[in-house]
Amino acid sequence: MKFNKKKKMKEFQDPYSFANAVTEGDSMTKLSMIIMGAGHFKHKQFIKGALFLLFELAFILFMVTNGFYNLAKLPGLGEAAQEGVWNEAKGIYEYSAGDNSLVILLYGIATIFLLIGFILVWRSCVKSSYKSQKLASEGKHLNTFKEDIASLFDENLAGLLLTSTRYSYFHNPATCLYDFHGLH
């Protein structure tokens, strides 16, 4: 028995899709995958190109200075809890700082959100560069920066990341470590 496999087609295909940009884009569109905004500079969309480039540079700077560290600490949520040692001479407990699991979790999740946001903006940059390339080759109108801003506010995107941690009233972030619960 032979089955006839049909290619699944979307009802409304996007002619300026990311896949089309990768396969059919010119050299500047493909360069936009590495240097964001390169294709926009070619088509004289300087503000848009500069904003994409500045966004990429800021993201790289963040990841080098903090992001990779935040992601590296996230799986363990810290290694050292706060400890108290009795000091005989002073007659008091002296405490070591320990790792603050709540802050590690917060920064790690925030870094993941920034990484997802960067990927979405990067894809948008490549698609936009490809769209500019196609419109310019067809002799059609390229949006100004003002027109792009107006269209940006007409679109809505939402994302949600859920995480589950063991937490109770008695957890003090400075004295004990949090742990992922349900992900073991």
Side-chain angles (χ1 to χ4, degrees), residues 10-36:
K10 292 182 181 179
E11 190 172 333
F12 301 105
Q13 283 191 326
D14 181 11
Y16 310 114
S17 70
F18 182 77
N20 287 347
V22 171
T23 57
E24 300 170 12
D26 65 5
S27 59
M28 291 306 278
T29 297
K30 291 181 180 179
L31 184 61
S32 289
M33 291 182 226
I34 300 168
I35 302 171
M36 289 174 61

Side-chain angles (χ1 to χ4, degrees), residues 79-93:
E79 298 162 0
Q82 181 182 23
E83 293 182 9
V85 177
W86 181 255
N87 185 333
E88 288 290 333
K90 294 181 180 178
I92 59 170
Y93 276 100

Side-chain angles (χ1 to χ4, degrees), residues 4 35-36 40 44 46 56 61 70 76-78 82 85 92 95 99-100 110 118 127 131 179 183:
N4 187 5
I35 302 171
M36 289 174 61
H40 296 96
K44 296 179 177 54
F46 298 114
E56 181 179 24
L61 181 65
N70 294 342
L77 293 178
Q82 181 182 23
V85 177
I92 59 170
Y95 293 94
D99 291 333
N100 190 335
F118 175 78
K127 286 174 62 174
K131 183 177 181 179
D179 189 16
L183 299 177

Side-chain angles (χ1 to χ4, degrees), residues 76-81 98-101 166 171-173 175-179:
L77 293 178
E79 298 162 0
D99 291 333
N100 190 335
S101 297
R166 240 186 324 226
H171 272 85
N172 180 350
T175 59
C176 59
L177 299 175
Y178 290 96
D179 189 16

